[in-house]
Amino acid sequence: MCGIVGYLGTKNAAPLLIDGLRRLEYRGYDSAGITVISGRSLCSAKTVGKVELLTEAAKDLQGQGTVGIAHTRWATHGEPSVPNAHPQFDCTESIAVVHNGIIENYSQLRKKLEENHRFLSDTDTEVIAHLIEEYLIADGSFESAARRALADLEGTYALALLFAYEPETIIAARNGSPLVVGVGENEYFVASDPVAFLKRTNNVLYLADGEIAVISPDGMQVTDHEGNQVYRETVFVDTEQEELGKNGFPHFMLKEIFEQPKTIQETFNERFDMEEGTARLSVIDDLFPRILHSRRITIVGCGTSWHAGLVGEYMLEQYARVPVEVEYASEFRYRDPLLTPNDVVIGISQSGETADTLAALREAHRKGAVVIAICNSTESSIARACDATLAMNAGPEIGVASTKAYTSQLIVLMLLTLALARKKTMSRDEGQLLIRELRALPGKIERILSDNTAILKIAEEFYQCQHFLYLGRGFNFPNALEGALKLKEISYIHAEGYPAAEMKHGPIALIDANMPVVFLAPRDHTYEKILSNIQEVKARKGKIITVADEDDHDVEQLSDYVIRIPKTIETLTPLLTIIPLQLLAYHIALLRGCNVDQPRNLAKSVTVE
């Protein structure tokens, strides 16, 4: 949510800041703003809407200065408007603040400050600027005033601060919201995500909670809130530039759907021991005895990651024979979960910055459980809060609607399942069969992707519908939820996912000739049952779209449309059935004129509760 970019160097700041904001557009936002220091003045521009509009509004800032900050805002306190856009300023407009997060005690602070300060916005962020202004009068030092202001704040924040009378300084600070510093040659960047500046430098310093970076042409000093110096090394982030672009595709989402054969390969690459029929997960070697003998595994996540956790529950219980619960991270810690050192808690998050998941894992750690992360960045807040991190290796995912991250999450969960199961009840032959089937997945997904045109034709038939129903059983029930979520996220069509048998307990009342119903029906142990469910929909004249095995001819007699997938073992069918659902959602959204990469009201990384 929201995007921060800061620049301090020798080059014209405005175009670099605007370019950084463009690279952060995936995070979701409704307004944007920029401030550049020119002499001892702050020159600013703000707009409601896209960065493209800000580019026009900020054209007078070109060449104004070499230090600045910029922001894309996702509204929390106050509606989207120019006054509520960031940067926010003090009374004298000499202090500028950009902020991600939520200041929980802002109303108390504002009430106190309103006696001597003039507020022009409805945001919680503006109190930070006025607090610094208040302390600056007493201290005379920008850094000291900023530290005192930060000490008054309760809540989460990532901040970049400017002061017109110290024109060669940026102060950056974080607490619970991600913030990184890019270190280039005679230049520094501050950003919510390294993606904003990787075009210019791959050297990244990840700030930890409670840390403050004071950046100037003389260098950077990182300290804790008490002013004690922190020694932190930069990390080289090896990301190819084509991974950050669309690479010839019209949208990031379509590119990322088509990347899945590669990202799945990257996720399981070199993590197999074929001779022993098991997975190699060296990062959890020290924890493995506790995981193996745990009384229960709890998986926490939000949205798509929660759906991945549901598939993981099926995998782990069937093969590793360990009890598994899947919880919404947003609810987990608020019900005082019963956890002991004999529990394992796995948090799933593409970004590694999801606020609810981070809070849930910290609660689990506090109660003594083994805490493991499955995420895409080993330097993320969630990775740092856990005992170990199982990396997804999916590469940057820019489209807000998660696609390749989901399948990579499933692969990691399968690898964990394989490693545990081989220590319990799974034979070496069974493990080797599973590895062979996993290795065959990239080629099978490529075959599904080659049928993209046929899926487009189905989308053309149904894109004007207002409701969809997705039904699956067993391993594919979570994919019914995920397929419905994809459609909701990017096309704004109301869609629901259910276990197919639950249709009779309410949703069947919705079915008529105008209701498309998507069935996930690979030939698994639930196949005959789901055929009966298809019959029930057909009897009520529902429009039936079925995802089925390529050699299944029985389902043709019952379905209006059939999308074919290659055969695989039952456990791995979710990795195949999800691909056509992603493509169907993409094509329907495009036909409806929706912005598939930046759907309304959504953010890629939800970093506030």
Side-chain angles (χ1 to χ4, degrees):
M1 283 186 170
C2 307
I4 287 174
V5 184
Y7 177 76
L8 185 151
T10 59
K11 297 178 177 62
N12 187 2
L16 295 175
L17 294 170
I18 295 289
D19 183 65
L21 290 185
R22 286 199 185 99
R23 294 175 182 277
L24 295 180
E25 284 191 289
Y26 73 90
R27 295 176 69 86
Y29 68 101
D30 45 56
S31 57
I34 180 174
T35 292
V36 173
I37 298 181
S38 179
R40 292 184 179 270
S41 299
L42 300 183
C43 299
S44 305
K46 298 184 187 183
T47 60
V48 174
K50 296 300 182 183
V51 171
E52 182 180 349
L53 297 174
L54 181 65
T55 304
E56 178 64 23
K59 62 184 179 181
D60 290 341
L61 302 187
Q62 301 291 330
Q64 289 289 337
T66 62
V67 179
I69 55 177
H71 190 265
T72 50
R73 177 179 184 255
W74 191 86
T76 55
H77 298 71
E79 65 182 21
S81 68
V82 170
N84 288 336
H86 296 197
Q88 290 291 309
F89 306 100
D90 68 320
C91 296
T92 66
E93 295 194 3
S94 61
I95 297 166
V97 179
V98 291
H99 165 224
N100 293 349
I102 290 178
I103 305 304
E104 294 172 0
N105 63 334
Y106 90 99
S107 58
Q108 300 97 299
L109 293 171
R110 178 166 178 153
K111 186 175 181 180
K112 180 180 177 181
L113 287 164
E114 281 178 330
E115 296 176 7
N116 298 306
H117 296 264
R118 183 182 75 259
F119 281 78
L120 301 178
S121 79
D122 301 316
T123 68
D124 55 336
T125 303
E126 192 179 355
V127 301
I128 303 170
H130 292 297
L131 270 177
I132 296 172
E133 179 186 14
E134 185 84 1
Y135 289 128
L136 197 56
I137 295 169
D139 290 5
S141 162
F142 178 36
E143 180 181 344
S144 176
R147 288 184 185 281
R148 291 184 64 182
L150 292 175
D152 289 345
L153 304 181
E154 296 174 10
T156 59
Y157 56 78
L159 297 169
L161 313 172
L162 294 181
F163 180 41
Y165 294 97
E166 292 188 25
E168 293 190 325
T169 300
I170 293 179
I171 294 179
R174 70 159 284 178
N175 185 57
S177 196
L179 197 66
V180 298
V181 179
V183 181
E185 188 173 342
N186 299 318
E187 61 184 3
Y188 294 89
F189 295 84
V190 177
S192 306
D193 187 318
V195 166
F197 55 72
L198 286 177
K199 184 178 178 181
R200 297 196 57 89
T201 181
N202 294 85
N203 297 312
V204 181
L205 184 143
Y206 290 84
L207 292 177
D209 282 351
E211 291 184 349
I212 300 168
V214 180
I215 305 166
S216 73
D218 296 330
M220 172 174 54
Q221 185 176 57
V222 181
T223 62
D224 60 21
H225 269 182
E226 285 69 47
N228 301 308
Q229 191 163 356
V230 175
Y231 296 95
R232 189 174 296 287
E233 294 184 354
T234 60
V235 175
F236 184 83
V237 177
D238 187 13
T239 300
E240 298 294 334
Q241 286 304 310
E242 57 263 26
E243 289 186 301
L244 303 177
K246 294 176 184 174
N247 204 23
F249 286 88
H251 301 95
F252 282 109
M253 183 180 180
L254 188 62
K255 170 180 174 269
E256 288 155 8
I257 291 172
F258 273 79
E259 282 180 338
Q260 286 174 108
K262 175 187 173 184
T263 54
I264 285 173
Q265 179 82 44
E266 290 292 327
T267 301
F268 65 60
N269 215 17
E270 300 182 0
R271 284 171 153 176
F272 292 136
D273 183 338
M274 189 62 181
E275 184 176 345
E276 291 299 319
T278 191
R280 291 193 296 256
L281 300 172
S282 58
V283 295
I284 60 169
D285 280 351
D286 292 343
L287 300 170
F288 206 77
R290 289 182 65 188
I291 301 169
L292 191 63
H293 300 293
S294 62
R295 65 170 190 147
R296 176 182 58 189
I297 293 174
T298 301
I299 301 174
V300 297
C302 302
T304 290
S305 296
W306 185 76
H307 297 157
L310 291 176
V311 180
E313 178 183 23
Y314 282 74
M315 290 175 176
L316 286 160
E317 290 197 338
Q318 177 165 317
Y319 286 116
R321 310 307 297 165
V322 57
V324 180
E325 294 180 4
V326 183
E327 302 267 6
Y328 285 110
S330 56
E331 293 294 318
F332 183 66
R333 69 182 173 127
Y334 290 110
R335 63 174 186 78
D336 193 19
L338 297 174
L339 296 172
T340 73
N342 293 322
D343 284 287
V344 174
V345 177
I346 300 173
I348 306 177
S349 167
Q350 184 279 138
S351 66
E353 301 293 347
T354 309
D356 289 317
T357 306
L358 177 60
L361 296 179
R362 284 174 171 165
E363 175 71 4
H365 204 278
R366 188 180 68 82
K367 293 191 171 185
V370 175
V371 182
I372 298 170
I374 296 176
C375 63
N376 214 9
S377 171
T378 55
E379 297 294 334
S380 64
S381 299
I382 284 176
R384 291 166 182 264
C386 293
D387 297 308
T389 300
L390 296 172
M392 289 155 44
N393 300 332
E397 187 178 66
I398 306 301
V400 167
S402 184
T403 52
K404 66 177 181 175
Y406 179 66
T407 49
S408 291
Q409 288 166 353
L410 297 188
I411 292 293
V412 172
L413 287 163
M414 189 70 254
L415 293 172
L416 178 61
T417 299
L418 177 59
L420 289 172
R422 281 290 289 118
K423 293 290 186 180
K424 290 194 169 187
T425 60
M426 182 182 284
S427 70
R428 182 169 66 176
D429 288 346
E430 289 175 305
Q432 290 172 337
L433 171 62
L434 190 52
I435 291 171
R436 284 195 294 272
E437 290 293 331
L438 277 163
R439 284 178 167 168
L441 283 175
K444 292 178 179 180
I445 290 174
E446 286 177 351
R447 285 161 59 188
I448 299 171
L449 293 170
S450 69
D451 205 25
N452 185 31
T453 303
I455 297 170
L456 170 59
K457 290 179 179 178
I458 297 173
E460 289 171 343
E461 290 293 320
F462 294 104
Y463 77 94
Q464 293 179 314
C465 293
Q466 297 305 307
H467 308 278
F468 265 74
L469 194 59
Y470 288 71
L471 301 174
R473 301 190 79 141
F475 279 96
N476 282 287
F477 155 56
N479 270 7
L481 298 175
E482 176 63 11
L485 177 62
K486 288 283 101 47
L487 192 67
K488 281 185 280 195
E489 283 179 317
I490 63 172
S491 74
Y492 320 139
I493 292 173
H494 172 247
E496 298 294 338
Y498 279 92
E502 286 296 304
M503 175 185 61
K504 297 188 291 292
H505 299 277
I508 199 168
L510 298 171
I511 294 173
D512 59 20
N514 298 313
M515 172 66 82
V517 183
V518 180
F519 280 95
L520 305 180
R523 281 191 184 272
D524 56 22
H525 77 285
T526 69
Y527 178 72
E528 297 299 332
K529 297 293 184 184
I530 207 162
L531 285 185
S532 298
N533 299 136
I534 294 174
Q535 291 275 17
E536 291 164 346
V537 172
K538 186 176 180 64
R540 289 158 180 83
K541 303 189 186 311
K543 299 298 183 184
I544 298 167
I545 305 165
T546 305
V547 179
D549 289 349
E550 55 193 359
D551 62 352
D552 183 352
H553 301 294
D554 296 335
V555 80
E556 287 180 354
Q557 310 303 317
L558 303 174
S559 306
D560 297 287
Y561 301 90
V562 179
I563 302 171
R564 301 294 185 179
I565 61 169
K567 290 182 68 66
T568 187
I569 59 175
E570 181 174 350
T571 320
L572 300 183
T573 54
L575 286 142
L576 300 182
T577 59
I578 195 58
I579 306 300
L581 302 189
Q582 294 170 348
L583 287 170
L584 184 64
Y586 170 81
H587 288 305
I588 287 176
L590 213 58
L591 289 165
R592 290 169 68 91
C594 300
N595 187 334
V596 295
D597 284 337
Q598 298 167 35
R600 68 188 183 200
N601 302 333
L602 293 180
K604 182 65 178 174
S605 180
V606 183
T607 56
V608 296
E609 289 192 66

